Amino acid sequence: MPWCELSNRKRKRLSFWIELPILIVFALVLALLVRTFLVQTFYIPSGSMEHTLEINDKVLVNKLIYDFRAPERGEIIVFQPPPSWDAPPNEQEFIKRVIGTPGDKVVCCNAAGKVTVNGYVLTEPYLYAGNVPSSMPFSIEVPAGRLFVLGDHREVSGDSRYHLTDQSGTIPIKSVEGRAFAIYWPISRWAPLSVPAIFDGVPAAPRS
């Protein structure tokens, strides 16, 4: 075999081993950028969103979407709770469903025991079986720049209802870290987290 052909092979092998660490570093940097700015994983530590989200589920969170638009009713969001919510040390982030957006009038309960948003009755298909929409009454108007959030498992969810004396129990939009858009683990539970069609009928918030 010609000497030059052997030399070329050696150079190719050497080039591969030089390029491999660069490719690994590039992949790690790319993964870090994606995690930091685009998509984050979130572990479900409690039953407050059952049975939409089960304990130990892992979800994917879009961290970029709210840089371009505000959160919308029905979306499941990850956020940092206000200091007044007195979150446990191991729960620095919460995950809940958006029920009211700025200007919305959110009331519970009507004569049928349902939550209403701007007078529109929510028939909530995601509620934990056997739960009522709320065991405590409330009537609030969501302040500007804030959101009213509830868990799907209302009986165990520490959500906006328990903080009504603090800006109507709402959270600041700026505290929202992203939208949970899919369950990815365990694989047997993989599913997109879409907005229930019931929210399509909610009218716009009345003007002040």
Side-chain angles (χ1 to χ4, degrees):
M1 184 176 292
W3 176 85
C4 61
E5 187 174 337
L6 288 173
S7 179
N8 286 338
R9 288 186 178 180
K10 288 180 179 179
R11 281 198 296 269
K12 287 180 180 179
R13 285 196 295 268
L14 181 61
S15 175
F16 169 78
W17 289 111
I18 292 174
E19 291 174 359
L20 182 60
I22 297 173
L23 291 173
I24 292 173
V25 170
F26 177 78
L28 291 173
V29 169
L30 182 61
L32 180 62
L33 289 173
V34 169
R35 176 178 172 81
T36 302
F37 298 106
L38 299 179
V39 177
Q40 181 180 355
T41 61
F42 185 81
Y43 164 80
I44 306 303
S46 72
S48 69
M49 285 295 293
E50 290 176 324
H51 284 299
T52 303
L53 301 174
E54 304 285 2
I55 297 173
N56 297 327
D57 278 355
K58 293 183 180 179
V59 299
L60 296 174
V61 177
N62 184 331
K63 299 184 67 175
L64 193 62
I65 188 170
Y66 297 136
D67 289 339
F68 299 96
R69 67 167 177 83
E72 297 176 356
R73 304 180 197 97
E75 293 180 336
I76 296 174
I77 60 170
V78 172
F79 62 94
Q80 294 183 358
S84 59
W85 283 35
D86 196 24
N90 62 333
E91 291 187 35
Q92 296 306 305
E93 296 169 308
F94 281 16
I95 186 164
K96 306 292 180 189
R97 189 182 298 276
V98 177
I99 301 298
T101 54
D104 283 344
K105 181 77 170 180
V106 186
V107 177
C108 192
C109 298
N110 68 358
K114 304 290 187 181
V115 173
T116 65
V117 180
N118 303 331
Y120 181 84
V121 179
L122 291 184
T123 302
E124 303 179 274
Y126 44 78
L127 274 184
Y128 186 91
N131 278 191
V132 296
S134 181
S135 58
M136 60 181 68
F138 56 83
S139 178
I140 66 101
E141 182 176 323
V142 182
R146 302 182 74 88
L147 302 168
F148 188 84
V149 297
L150 297 175
D152 290 356
H153 191 173
R154 300 283 159 82
E155 290 185 359
V156 301
S157 177
D159 48 42
S160 288
R161 297 168 298 163
Y162 292 90
H163 308 278
L164 295 175
T165 57
D166 179 21
Q167 297 202 62
S168 303
T170 55
I171 64 165
I173 291 177
K174 64 182 180 182
S175 72
V176 178
E177 297 187 352
R179 176 189 174 185
F181 65 92
I183 302 169
Y184 79 93
W185 192 263
I187 294 175
S188 61
R189 281 188 43 75
W190 185 93
L193 296 171
S194 55
V195 175
I198 186 66
F199 288 94
D200 294 344
V202 178
R207 294 185 178 180
S208 302

